[in-house]
Amino acid sequence: MIMRRIVVALAALAVTVTAVAKPVEVSFAAADGVRVYGDVYASAAGKTAPTILLFHQAGGDARGEYLRIAIRLLDEGYNVIAVDQRSGGDRFGGENRTVAALDNAEFGYCDAYPDLEAALTYAREAGFSGPLAVWGSSYSAALVFQLGAKNAQEVDAILGFSPAAGPPLADCALRPYLEDLAVSALALRPRREYEIESVRKQMEEFDSVGVQTYVADPGVHGSSMLSDERVQASTEATWTVVLEFLKANLREN
């Protein structure tokens, strides 16, 4: 009888966790009218708890890249809003709803910046009033530095996982936004990328302007460096750095 009660209790707990972790789909309009889709993972602590905006890498989508990461952040007490930008696809096996609604029209990386601005506006207008972090992966890791620099009164922390550079981002490169950056930031790279000279120089530049840096070893490109499955090894060391950064910079008022 005792064992049966334990099993029933565990089953009830599993249902509760699943219900809490299930995202709610939302959509909002970017400044140019594009309808942007995303998912809200609402913290039991309410909308005054810290909020994290997640943006995916090239060819990706919010659920494919971030489902497990979002749930981990939710378990840590954060509200999470994961966004499908207009530059994306099915790289991680999911569907980019923003791209699909645009009949799979192609957009460059810089074209996606209005989607990030729209996500920030949505978060505040939807009542998420606590401290806020913007989190990017690869190309969007470059764009979140622009977002944070332009919205320093609203953004409390920036996290860039493998911040991209090069010709595709020439019109929205992150370098100009590092000058007088007033928002705490963390830039992360996997070891194998750090061994590339241009990446090493980028990380040195981050260090020189006060951006915290971390080299994940083991690790893979982008936010996937937090996925044991994709790294094929434990990612707890990287998670520890990320969570300590968030805790230090997203203190509730």
Side-chain angles (χ1 to χ4, degrees):
M1 179 63 70
I2 294 176
M3 182 60 70
R4 183 174 181 275
R5 288 176 180 172
I6 292 174
V7 171
V8 170
L10 290 174
L13 177 61
V15 169
T16 300
V17 171
T18 301
V20 171
K22 185 177 181 181
V24 174
E25 183 176 86
V26 297
S27 69
F28 40 86
D32 59 359
V34 169
R35 177 62 47 179
V36 180
Y37 292 82
D39 294 310
V40 173
Y41 299 77
S43 170
K47 291 185 175 181
T48 59
T51 297
I52 302 173
L53 306 184
L54 301 178
F55 304 104
H56 58 72
Q57 68 171 259
D61 69 287
R63 292 176 181 174
E65 184 167 3
Y66 283 120
L67 180 59
R68 292 184 181 179
I69 291 173
I71 291 173
R72 173 73 181 266
L73 294 171
L74 181 65
D75 288 344
E76 295 289 341
Y78 297 104
N79 291 299
V80 179
I81 303 174
V83 178
D84 281 353
Q85 299 103 243
R86 71 185 72 184
S87 180
D90 59 2
R91 168 167 289 178
F92 295 104
E95 178 189 31
N96 186 307
R97 292 154 290 175
T98 301
V99 171
L102 292 167
D103 295 324
N104 295 295
E106 294 187 7
F107 291 92
Y109 300 151
C110 296
D111 296 331
Y113 180 74
D115 304 343
L116 278 64
E117 287 275 9
L120 177 58
T121 298
Y122 166 79
R124 291 316 193 192
E125 291 183 348
F128 292 94
S129 59
L132 186 143
V134 294
W135 171 318
S137 179
S138 192
Y139 90 84
S140 67
L143 295 184
V144 292
F145 278 89
Q146 179 178 350
L147 182 65
K150 288 182 174 179
N151 297 276
Q153 297 302 312
E154 295 290 342
V155 174
D156 298 279
I158 300 168
L159 297 94
F161 293 78
S162 299
L169 286 157
D171 293 332
C172 56
L174 65 82
R175 179 172 293 175
Y177 301 101
L178 294 180
E179 299 176 9
D180 301 319
L181 185 66
V183 180
S184 296
L186 170 65
L188 306 94
R189 285 279 190 173
R191 172 64 61 184
R192 64 186 183 186
E193 290 180 358
Y194 185 74
E195 293 172 354
I196 301 170
E197 183 179 2
S198 60
V199 170
R200 192 162 54 252
K201 287 182 177 179
Q202 183 196 58
M203 294 290 268
E204 290 171 355
E205 183 175 12
F206 281 137
D207 284 329
S208 71
V209 296
V211 172
Q212 181 180 338
T213 59
Y214 178 74
V215 178
D217 189 12
V220 295
H221 186 69
S223 296
S224 291
M225 69 179 75
L226 292 173
S227 166
D228 288 3
E229 180 181 7
R230 293 168 188 161
V231 174
Q232 297 187 336
S234 173
T235 59
E236 280 307 304
T238 305
W239 267 110
T240 296
V241 171
V242 169
L243 293 176
E244 287 181 351
F245 174 80
L246 290 172
K247 183 178 180 180
N249 291 286
L250 297 186
R251 296 187 180 93
E252 294 185 59
N253 296 327

